[in-house]
Amino acid sequence: MDNVETLRSEILDAVAGSSDLKALEDIRIAELGKKGRVSGLMKTLGKMEPEERKAAGQALNVLKSEIASAIDGRKGALEIEALNAQLINERIDVSLPVRPEDQGRIHPISQTIDEVVAIFGEMGFTVAEGPDIEEDWYNFSALNIPPEHPARQEHDTFYLPNEKEGHRMVLRTHTSPVQIRTMQNQKPPIRIIVPGRTYRCDYDATHSPMFHQVEGLVIDKKTHMGHLKGCLIDFCRAFFDMDDLPVKFRPSYFPFTEPSAEVDIGCTREGGEFKIGHGDDWLEILGSGMVNPQVLVNCGIDPEEYQGFAFGMGIERIAMLKYGIPDLRTFFESDLRWLRHYGFQSLQTPSMVGGLD
Ligand code: DAH
C-alpha cells in the first residue's frame, strides 16, 4: 500500500489533464470501476492483518472519494467549457435583417386599393362591399338600365345558368350595384367607397374577364356638382401625387347619373413616351355624375330631399398609369418575377401626399 500516494497524484493529474468528458469517463472506469485499479486494491484488504487493513482501508476510502470529487469537479468545468464553446459557435445576431429571399411582395392591386381607401378615408368615406354574384335588378334595373337597354350589351355580361324570379343571376359587371344595396339599407347621409371584383367577357392588353373597380357614392341634403368636382380633383391629385395635376370634366352619359361627366387628367404622349402631368393631351380615368333621381326613387329615397354624386373607376387602369404597367393581363398571371418587379414591400404606408391638406 506504499504506492497509494503515487497512485493518488498520478490519478489526480490524469483527471486534471483530461480534455473531454469521454476521457474523464475512461479514467473513472479504469480507476473506480468494478475492474478498476482502486477497486483491485480494495480487494487486497481481505488478506491483510487487522491493523494494516484498518489503515489501508481508510487510506483507500479517502483516495476513492478524492478521485470521485476530482472527477466531478473536472466534469463540471468541462461542461461549462463545452457550453461556452457552443454559445460562441452558435451565436445568433437578432439585429440582422431577415434574408431578402424570404420577403413577400404586396400585389399592385392590393397596394392601389389601399391607397384609394386611404385617400377617400381621409375625406370621411367608409368602405362598403357587396356580392360578386348579383341579381339583375341590382346590377341593371335599379341603376336605371332597363331591359333591352344597349348598356346591357355593352357590358358583355357573364350570366349564371340558375334563375331568380325570371331573371338569371349575373357576375356583377361593375361595383355600382353596391350603391343600390347601400341606399336601401342605410339612411343618408351616405359617403362610401366600394372596392371590389367585377366581370366582363373581354380579354386583351387592357381588359381581363375579372378586374377591379372602385365605386364612390355620396348622398346628402345639399350635395351638388361642386362637391363632386372638388372631391375627384383632390383624389386625382393625391393618388398621382401631383399637386397641380390638370383635371378636366367632360360631359358624358351614364343611365344612373344625370348629368354625367367623365374625368380626364393631363398627360403628354411624346415620341411614344407617355407621361402623366402637364401637356396638351388628356387621358380618361373615371366616370362620374349626379345620382339620377330615378335611382334614388328606386331605392326609396326622396329626390326632393336628398341628392348626391357617384363615380366609378378601374383599379387596374389607374395602377397601370401610376406604376407604368403596360399589360393588364399580367396582373393575374401569378408570375413571381413580375410580382418581384412591380410588387410593393410590406409595411409601406400608402402615399397621402398632395391635395389633402
Ligand atoms: N359603372 C360604370 C362602369 O362600370 C362606372 C361609373 C360611372 C360608376 C359613373 C358610377 C358613375 O358610379 O357615376 O363603367
Side-chain angles (χ1 to χ4, degrees), residues 16-36:
S18 61
S19 58
D20 58 44
L21 293 172
K22 161 97 177 59
L24 199 58
E25 179 63 6
D26 288 347
I27 296 173
R28 196 189 61 75
I29 293 168
E31 308 300 350
L32 304 180
K34 263 191 193 153
K35 291 178 184 159

Side-chain angles (χ1 to χ4, degrees), residues 155 173-174 176 179 200 213 215-216 254 256-257 287-289 310-313:
H155 277 198
T173 58
H174 48 180
S176 306
Q179 285 187 25
R200 288 183 203 178
Q213 285 191 341
E215 188 81 12
F254 299 104
F256 31 90
T257 46
S288 68
F311 55 89
M313 68 191 112

Side-chain angles (χ1 to χ4, degrees), residues 45-65:
L45 291 175
K47 292 176 195 144
M48 291 180 187
E49 290 304 314
E51 276 307 299
E52 194 192 358
R53 184 193 304 147
K54 192 177 171 200
Q58 255 177 13
L60 282 177
N61 276 329
V62 169
L63 178 64
K64 253 172 85 173
S65 69

